[in-house]
């Protein structure tokens, strides 16, 4: 399973960006999907997680009310709409899924390479 994250870039404080992550490969099913972010010298932070149905989402307190996560199961994609961006949101965002491959018997974690978001005036 390969994950490709994109949509990062430079945005001014208060602006918006939409991150996308596409999963490809011999995928049978994807369970939970997650966005993490990683700043230099800091531990990886879970930003948001969405259930297999897309109905349930959980957000880190630091992004609650500003970020919205969604998914498209038909396309094996996940999204992160980021509004009211702050300079402290400047980090690399990573996508992660629990996926079961065709012929597989269990769900395993897979990671994308990350996309950089820079919030600066």
């Amino acid at each position: 399973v390969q994950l490709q994250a994109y949509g990062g870039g430079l945005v001014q404080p208060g602006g918006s960006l939409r991150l996308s992550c596409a999963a490809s490969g011999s995928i049978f099913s994807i369970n939970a999907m997650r966005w993490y972010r990683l700043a230099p010298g800091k531990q990886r932070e879970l930003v948001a997680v969405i259930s297999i149905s897309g109905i349930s989402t959980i957000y880190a307190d630091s992004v609650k009310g500003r970020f919205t996560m969604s998914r498209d199961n038909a396309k094996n994609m996940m999204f992160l709409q980021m509004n009211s961006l702050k300079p402290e949101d400047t980090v690399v965002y990573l996508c992660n899924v629990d996926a079961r491959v065709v012929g597989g018997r269990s769900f395993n974690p897979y990671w994308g390479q990350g996309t950089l978001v820079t919030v600066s005036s």
Side-chain angles (χ1 to χ4, degrees):
V1 177
Q2 295 80 43
L3 298 180
Q4 178 70 45
Y6 54 95
L10 174 63
V11 63
Q12 292 187 341
S16 298
L17 279 177
R18 187 187 193 220
L19 304 184
S20 301
C21 180
S24 61
S26 299
I27 299 169
F28 179 79
S29 178
I30 297 177
N31 197 348
M33 291 178 145
R34 304 173 188 87
W35 285 101
Y36 284 85
R37 60 188 184 182
L38 182 62
K42 295 187 177 181
Q43 286 190 331
R44 189 173 57 204
E45 177 189 12
L46 177 62
V47 176
V49 56
I50 190 167
S51 63
I52 188 171
S53 67
I55 294 176
S56 298
T57 51
I58 299 174
Y59 299 94
D61 288 341
S62 57
V63 307
K64 204 172 292 183
R66 299 188 298 123
F67 292 9
T68 302
M69 184 174 184
S70 59
R71 65 189 288 170
D72 184 335
N73 288 338
K75 297 180 179 179
N76 289 330
M77 292 191 69
M78 55 197 283
F79 310 96
L80 187 67
Q81 177 66 43
M82 305 185 296
N83 299 328
S84 302
L85 283 163
K86 305 175 180 180
E88 51 263 42
D89 295 319
T90 296
V91 286
V92 172
Y93 287 77
L94 306 166
C95 53
N96 161 264
V97 302
D98 293 335
R100 179 180 168 188
V101 299
V102 174
R105 297 186 178 184
S106 62
F107 287 88
N108 294 297
Y110 296 90
W111 291 88
Q113 87 293 350
T115 184
L116 176 63
V117 171
T118 303
V119 184
S120 176
S121 55

